[in-house]
Amino acid sequence: MDMLNRGSAPGRRAVLAGAAGAAALTALPALTAPAHAAGGAGAVAARAYRWRNAVIGGTGFITGVLFHPAVRGLAYARTDIGGAYRWDDRTASWTPLTDHLGWDDWNLLGVEAMAVDPARPERLYLALGTYAQPWAGNGAVLRSTDRGATWRRSDLTVKLGANEDGRGTGERLLVDPRDSATLWLGTRHDGLLKSADAGITWAPAPFPAQPSATGQGITFLAAAGRVVYAGWGDGGAALLRTTATGWEAVPGQPAGEAARVPVHAAYDARTRALYVSYADAPGPNNQSAGSVHRLDTVTGVWTDVTPERGAFGYGGLSVDASRGGTVVVSTNNRWSAVDTLFRSTDGGRGWVSLKDTAVLDVTETPYLKWGGPSPKFGWWIQALAIDPYDSKHIVYGTGATLYGTRDLVRWAPQIRGLEESAVRQLISPPSGAAHLISGLGDIGVMYHEQLTASPPSGMAANPVMGSSTGLAQAALAPSYVVRAGWGDHGNGAYSNDGGRTWAPFAAQPSVASSAPGPLATSANGRTLLWSFVHWDGTGHPAHRSTDNGATWAEVPSFPRGATPVADPVDPARFYAYDTATGTLYASTDSGASFTARAAGLPSGDPQFKIAAAPGRTGDLWLSAKDQGLHRSTDGGAHFGRVAGCRASHALGFGRAATAGGYPALFQTGATDGPVCVLRSDDEARTWMRINDDSHQWGWTGEVITGDPRIHGRVYLGTNGRGIQYGDPA
């Protein structure tokens, strides 16, 4: 998953201790701000909610899987932007472990590495940090003595990069096999770190290789008996190991691999062999060569055991703890022939491709068919593990799921409970079979009739699109829905049955293929407005269609790159907010032309958002992040700041508390405390917090909406923890 929704600038918070499940809520401080023309302020209470994922199943890059060597059925998974999980073999499901990380800690939802203590099964360590870029915060290490139920945190002075190139290598974190109190952490740009007190404090440790500002640094740390091996991805000796006096380059290592990146290592304690996979790039993309080598750690003899050469790399690697000489390795970036797992039972002398006999069952997550008749075996396979207590139980991660087998033939997603999608748009229709339609990063649009099961229709097809860039429903004709996104066979589509089935627009503007952006449909569904934004943020002229996408005309007066918003009552009205200048534009001629109305509003951030209240014309709300929440009741001619709301990042509407009352308001925002999830049943005069410290999910500022049919229900988009939905407890 490569979503780069950064939210607000990262900050530092106090050490958090969280547990899965519901927790008692603490009321936010009362507000005493004076009344304002656009809304008043009152006491802020807290309301207990039950939070769950709307089930899709996976949808993101599983970067690592780690079975505990001493406990049957215990395993952990890490993701690039969606936190870490613990596997429960009895329920065949995953439990999220890092949902307690809050708004200021959004950069810690990416898990760079994880480690377990073989001698102390209750201990678990996570190295967190999504980006190593200058704008991102430093990393942190979480340590647990109860398998991730509660945590203590140590902030680092270096940056980690769980969503950068090389995120599928590892593990970079290791408990020293000679001393449980000693931990090692390999970094990308800051060398080797060491803790001598079980992860509480960290300091640089001597290491002979010098990192670069743009390289991979230490790609993995692996224990082979009492020796620690380190992979090095910045050129020179690719494999180093500890000695009695420090570190040394491993003698005799393959000279041809010096220019390649060591991706994974696995030690076979029964044969005392260390296996190493290599690629000419860290991955998961841009690999065109690779190999697999075996080191006899007793004799020092290296053997090339590469299963097959080709224009691809090797990634995941695991050995069978109960069967000496049995090893499994994955290809990576073998796009034409499709990636596979190679398995050997004789130390790499002979290999069998498990893909060739695999039977894939994706009944539980049909989207994995990608709009076609059958799923693919996988891609981006860098997470790979053999269960140490069951030789035929193998799991491997892809860019969207985690497959598992118990017989080496039948494979199915082993993903229940693990949700990693980055959510871009949410619609809860006022009627029809579906309660939720969602636009997502990487996997397009989903249509949920049931929130507890992955949509049986899979991802929206005809055409299939990757990341969704736009999703809209006609307020007065809700059976009509439109979507836009990145696709190879069209970038826009419409539905006449509420989003169940789709057809492509008969035509599209030429810019749509390179800069598909947000779109809107008039309240009656007869006018379309499509804005175009390149991936780098460059805006292009918007286009308009009055014949369901058969023809399009440019709208020169529409602010470039803005998000069009349709009035939910008057089909002739559209709105657009120019975030560059802080100006609200409006159209009263069905989007043919736009004129400036209110000016001098918050500007400078493309993530400022306009929302139109359902069932009312000209009732607009502006979420301006740390510049607060603003409202207009005259179609954008005038705005006033809503009192008692310090910050607003996303806002949506749900069913009113009373018949005929004002719709419930939901937002990711803040009163005078931290950013949280809020609900108001009285037109923003008072707010209640509806999430708790165990349910924060990092950054949640993209989208939120209520359910127009169920009072109190809210759907919340996260950037890596899927769609969260909450109901009053």
Side-chain angles (χ1 to χ4, degrees):
M1 185 83 54
D2 260 317
M3 304 304 111
L4 191 59
N5 294 330
R6 289 176 286 169
S8 62
R12 183 175 176 179
R13 298 191 64 183
V15 173
L16 297 172
L25 298 180
T26 302
L28 294 175
L31 296 179
T32 58
H36 192 284
V44 177
R47 179 71 184 269
Y49 258 62
R50 181 189 181 192
W51 291 94
R52 291 164 285 180
N53 269 113
V55 175
I56 302 174
T59 77
F61 187 21
I62 312 298
T63 49
V65 177
L66 182 62
F67 280 98
H68 198 286
V71 180
R72 181 186 295 272
L74 177 61
Y76 300 94
R78 61 180 168 97
T79 65
D80 53 2
I81 66 170
Y85 295 79
R86 182 183 62 243
W87 173 253
D88 186 336
D89 211 37
R90 296 169 300 173
T91 61
S93 64
W94 296 93
T95 298
L97 301 179
T98 48
D99 283 356
H100 65 280
L101 293 169
W103 180 269
D104 290 341
D105 290 322
W106 65 267
N107 191 53
L108 301 184
L109 259 290
V111 185
E112 179 85 292
M114 53 190 177
V116 297
D117 187 339
R120 293 171 172 78
E122 303 306 310
R123 292 189 181 181
L124 172 66
Y125 302 91
L126 302 177
L128 309 179
T130 311
Y131 299 104
Q133 305 305 314
W135 42 258
N138 290 336
V141 172
L142 296 186
R143 58 192 191 278
S144 175
T145 56
D146 52 16
R147 303 185 184 185
T150 61
W151 296 98
R152 291 185 179 274
R153 169 173 160 182
S154 297
D155 289 310
L156 301 175
T157 59
V158 304
K159 300 178 188 298
L160 305 179
N163 193 34
E164 299 192 352
D165 286 348
R167 57 195 182 275
T169 66
E171 297 291 330
R172 289 177 159 100
L173 184 63
L174 180 71
V175 176
D176 193 295
R178 300 158 294 187
D179 177 14
S180 288
T182 299
L183 275 77
W184 303 94
L185 174 59
T187 72
R188 295 165 178 267
H189 312 305
D190 297 280
L192 182 67
L193 303 183
K194 179 181 179 180
S195 173
D197 52 13
I200 299 174
T201 61
W202 293 84
F207 195 73
Q210 296 300 312
S212 75
T214 58
Q216 284 294 306
I218 296 169
T219 57
F220 62 72
L221 296 165
R226 296 177 65 81
V227 178
V228 175
Y229 286 81
W232 183 251
D234 285 0
L239 192 67
L240 299 96
R241 68 185 178 192
T242 55
T243 67
T245 58
W247 292 83
E248 68 173 5
V250 178
Q253 57 186 287
E257 310 311 319
R260 291 182 179 169
V261 176
V263 179
H264 278 279
Y267 179 63
D268 186 341
R270 292 178 176 269
T271 63
R272 300 178 71 177
L274 182 75
Y275 296 85
V276 183
S277 62
Y278 296 86
D280 61 343
N285 282 321
N286 303 316
Q287 293 177 339
S288 59
S291 61
V292 184
H293 291 259
R294 184 187 71 229
L295 169 65
D296 186 321
T297 63
V298 177
T299 66
V301 174
W302 285 85
T303 305
D304 187 338
V305 293
T306 306
E308 179 183 298
R309 299 277 181 173
F312 54 85
Y314 282 91
L317 183 64
S318 185
V319 297
D320 190 335
S322 60
R323 296 187 179 186
T326 296
V327 59
V328 178
V329 65
S330 72
T331 64
N332 196 59
N333 269 40
R334 197 176 79 154
W335 294 105
S336 59
V338 182
D339 279 307
T340 187
L341 304 183
F342 285 109
R343 181 174 183 261
S344 174
T345 58
D346 55 9
R349 286 183 287 274
W351 297 89
V352 173
S353 171
L354 297 181
K355 176 182 72 71
D356 296 347
T357 56
V359 177
L360 297 179
D361 179 3
V362 297
T363 303
E364 192 165 322
T365 52
Y367 79 89
L368 288 170
K369 294 182 180 180
W370 305 108
S374 59
K376 301 295 184 183
F377 190 76
W379 71 100
W380 284 16
I381 305 177
Q382 294 192 300
L384 170 63
I386 304 173
D387 189 334
Y389 290 89
D390 183 352
S391 296
K392 292 185 178 181
H393 182 202
I394 301 174
V395 295
Y396 69 92
T398 75
T401 193
L402 187 77
Y403 279 110
T405 183
R406 300 278 182 170
D407 61 8
L408 305 183
V409 175
R410 291 182 292 273
W411 300 80
Q414 189 172 300
I415 203 71
R416 193 174 301 164
L418 197 161
E419 300 284 347
E420 203 200 346
S421 55
V423 186
R424 299 290 186 78
Q425 302 94 25
L426 293 172
I427 293 174
S428 184
S431 60
H435 272 263
L436 184 66
I437 308 171
S438 56
L440 310 165
D442 295 345
I443 59 168
V445 167
M446 293 283 175
Y447 176 88
H448 270 94
E449 292 188 18
Q450 295 182 338
L451 300 175
T452 55
S454 188
S457 57
M459 61 188 295
N462 193 29
V464 170
M465 298 177 190
S467 292
S468 174
T469 60
L471 181 65
Q473 183 174 46
L476 301 180
S479 61
Y480 185 73
V481 187
V482 291
R483 63 184 170 97
W486 293 94
D488 293 333
H489 303 287
N491 301 87
Y494 68 93
S495 172
N496 283 320
D497 56 12
R500 185 191 300 272
T501 62
W502 298 87
F505 294 145
Q508 66 179 33
S510 58
V511 71
S513 60
S514 61
L519 77 174
T521 174
S522 59
N524 59 8
R526 296 176 184 172
T527 302
L528 299 175
L529 276 180
W530 197 353
S531 180
F532 299 101
V533 186
H534 195 259
W535 63 268
D536 65 1
T538 302
H540 299 270
H543 285 67
R544 173 178 180 262
S545 175
T546 57
D547 53 14
N548 197 34
T551 61
W552 297 87
E554 185 177 319
V555 184
S557 55
F558 186 94
R560 292 193 178 197
T563 298
V565 175
D567 190 278
V569 175
D570 186 348
R573 293 196 185 196
F574 285 89
Y575 310 98
Y577 190 68
D578 186 349
T579 60
T581 64
T583 303
L584 190 286
Y585 285 80
S587 171
T588 57
D589 57 5
S590 299
S593 63
F594 283 77
T595 57
R597 292 199 172 180
L601 298 172
S603 63
D605 193 320
Q607 292 181 354
F608 291 166
K609 304 175 182 70
I610 284 285
R616 288 150 175 81
T617 188
D619 190 349
L620 306 177
W621 298 75
L622 167 64
S623 292
K625 299 177 73 169
D626 290 337
Q627 297 185 57
L629 180 64
H630 304 252
R631 185 185 181 189
S632 171
T633 57
D634 56 10
H638 305 88
F639 277 84
R641 181 162 181 168
V642 176
C645 187
R646 177 181 62 81
S648 179
H649 298 269
L651 183 135
F653 307 90
R655 184 179 178 88
T658 59
Y662 196 85
L665 290 167
F666 296 92
Q667 70 166 327
T668 294
T671 53
D672 61 353
V675 173
C676 55
V677 185
L678 299 167
R679 185 184 105 202
S680 174
D681 287 332
D682 57 9
E683 211 165 334
R685 283 183 286 273
T686 61
W687 296 91
M688 64 186 80
R689 182 185 180 186
I690 60 174
N691 72 321
D692 57 74
D693 286 350
S694 293
H695 299 87
Q696 300 194 81
W697 318 285
W699 192 76
T700 55
E702 183 78 4
V703 62
I704 188 171
T705 191
D707 192 309
R709 288 176 272 182
I710 303 173
H711 175 248
R713 174 172 288 180
V714 60
Y715 304 98
L716 176 67
T718 73
N719 187 51
R721 275 291 288 122
I723 304 165
Q724 301 288 336
Y725 73 99
D727 289 299

